[in-house]
């Protein structure tokens, strides 16, 4: 996925997103193993302190809120759906405060908001909420290929970004897919393959 995300970012930004995301996740995994701590908390520390680019600190804020809810669960249990929805909503709000992005600005917010809406609408005992949220994030991320950039590097390249989904939004979609694979493996099987999610839209669609 690193090379695919890099390719998307080369088409719409400065080309460093794939390396920043994959490198940050690798360092977060190493930190979690060394400290025995929560993976999201480790990712928050790494992305806030070490990962550069426009998206690094923004993903750090998201991981920070997810880490707060996962570490509060006893014995490594997954958070209840309402708690996960609240954490994702708080992370999205923090990203919007810092980055200033809104819906339709062609950013990771365009994948986060649909996912938050699905989680908030799910029942507390839903067994498909994360998978449904991942599908919503994928759809939101893929729709950014129709948007002109209003924030970040893509705002400088005009209509050259049309047909290319925003790498940050795709990164969020992949994160939700990963969560679904871990927490809802049976329903996650109906999600599109990551290789499809990262592909630019065919010309003319």
């Amino acid at each position: 996925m690193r090379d695919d995300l890099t390719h998307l970012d080369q088409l719409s930004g400065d080309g460093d997103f794939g390396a920043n995301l994959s490198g940050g996740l690798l360092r977060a995994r190493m930190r979690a193993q060394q400290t025995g701590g929560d993976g999201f908390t480790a990712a928050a520390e790494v992305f806030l302190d070490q990962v550069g680019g426009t998206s690094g600190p923004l993903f750090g804020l998201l991981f920070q809120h997810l880490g707060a809810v996962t570490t509060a669960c006893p014995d490594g249990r997954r958070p209840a759906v309402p708690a996960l929805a609240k954490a994702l909503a708080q992370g999205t709000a923090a990203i919007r405060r810092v980055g200033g992005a809104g819906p339709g600005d062609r950013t990771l917010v365009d994948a986060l908001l649909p996912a938050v809406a699905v989680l908030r609408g799910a029942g507390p005992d839903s067994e498909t909420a994360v998978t449904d949220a991942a599908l919503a994030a994928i759809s939101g991320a893929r729709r950014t290929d129709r948007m002109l950039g209003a924030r970040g590097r893509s705002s400088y390249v005009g209509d050259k970004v049309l047909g290319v989904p925003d790498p940050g939004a795709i990164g969020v979609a992949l994160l939700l897919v990963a969560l679904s694979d871990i927490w809802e493996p049976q329903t996650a099987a109906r999600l599109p393959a990551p290789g499809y999610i990262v592909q630019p839209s065919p010309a003319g669609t």
Side-chain angles (χ1 to χ4, degrees):
M1 293 298 99
R2 169 180 170 165
D3 290 343
D4 295 302
L5 291 170
T6 294
H7 178 61
L8 290 181
D9 201 33
Q10 288 171 339
L11 295 173
S12 59
D14 52 15
D16 64 353
F17 180 72
N20 285 341
L21 183 63
S22 62
L25 290 174
L26 179 60
R27 291 196 294 274
R29 180 181 179 183
M30 294 174 60
R31 176 170 293 193
Q33 290 174 340
Q34 291 168 353
T35 63
D38 173 73
F40 281 127
T41 300
E45 293 169 354
V46 167
F47 275 77
L48 287 170
D49 297 339
Q50 301 177 23
V51 177
T54 304
S55 298
L58 300 182
F59 272 89
L61 291 171
L62 182 62
F63 290 138
Q64 189 175 59
H65 286 278
L66 290 172
V69 73
T70 54
T71 55
C73 293
D75 303 322
R77 296 180 182 178
R78 71 180 188 183
V81 171
L84 181 61
K86 182 177 180 181
L88 201 67
Q90 290 174 334
T92 302
I95 287 170
R96 295 187 66 179
R97 284 196 302 271
V98 172
D105 283 346
R106 188 187 158 83
T107 70
L108 67 169
V109 169
D110 293 300
L112 284 167
L113 289 176
V116 169
V118 167
L119 287 173
R120 281 177 163 169
D125 299 321
S126 173
E127 297 181 355
T128 65
V130 180
T131 301
D132 293 338
L135 285 169
I138 292 167
S139 180
R142 297 287 295 172
R143 283 197 299 269
T144 60
D145 70 354
R146 310 169 195 175
M147 302 173 185
L148 294 175
R151 298 282 173 181
R153 294 284 184 177
S154 67
S155 64
Y156 302 130
V157 297
D159 60 8
K160 291 181 180 179
V161 300
L162 296 177
V164 180
D166 177 69
I170 293 294
V172 166
L174 293 173
L175 170 63
L176 268 294
V177 168
L179 289 180
S180 179
D181 284 337
I182 295 169
W183 290 345
E184 298 172 356
Q186 293 183 331
T187 56
R190 61 188 171 91
L191 292 171
Y196 162 79
I197 298 170
V198 300
Q199 292 302 310
S201 299
T205 63

